[in-house]
Amino acid sequence: MMRKTKEVLEDHLQLSKEGRVEEDLTLNFSKDVKLLTTYGTYEGHKGVQELAEILQKELPEATFKYKNFLVEGEVGFLEWSGFSKKNKVKDGADSYLVRDGLIIAQTIHYTISKV
């Protein structure tokens, strides 16, 4: 049975919080996923890994809060914030397109500021 958009995204968010990137990639992302971000365009599992590394460097040992999580059909939207000892994000916003039980496209926007 194919997972619904909400199930895929909830699993992605949980695995992300736990830092389980490889498992998240395998379970939740298409191998051809397209990512449009504040830092440019990325593609595939390699692109997801690169972006996870960037976020980890910018917000080491961060705590994340999910402010708004919406799902409609194949589309999901997440507003989030993140805080570390080094930096913070107050305006995180991601959108997702999920098809056949996998994330096939994602947009990511956030602004890093000093604590």
Side-chain angles (χ1 to χ4, degrees), residues 25-26 29-34 43-46 102-103:
L25 286 172
T26 301
F29 283 88
S30 163
K31 290 182 180 180
D32 300 322
V33 63
K34 307 293 188 236
E43 187 171 334
H45 286 183
K46 183 179 178 186
L102 295 171
I103 299 167

Side-chain angles (χ1 to χ4, degrees), residues 1-60:
M1 186 169 155
M2 189 79 53
R3 294 181 305 155
K4 295 185 179 202
T5 300
K6 186 174 182 182
E7 294 170 304
V8 172
L9 296 179
E10 286 175 340
D11 190 43
H12 159 62
L13 295 175
Q14 185 62 41
L15 292 171
S16 272
K17 270 188 170 180
E18 296 171 4
R20 295 162 55 191
V21 176
E22 291 302 321
E23 188 176 352
D24 188 21
L25 286 172
T26 301
L27 294 174
N28 298 313
F29 283 88
S30 163
K31 290 182 180 180
D32 300 322
V33 63
K34 307 293 188 236
L35 303 126
L36 307 175
T37 78
T38 304
Y39 298 100
T41 303
Y42 293 77
E43 187 171 334
H45 286 183
K46 183 179 178 186
V48 176
Q49 289 169 321
E50 288 176 39
L51 291 167
E53 289 170 12
I54 290 169
L55 185 61
Q56 176 61 31
K57 285 178 185 171
E58 292 176 329
L59 293 174

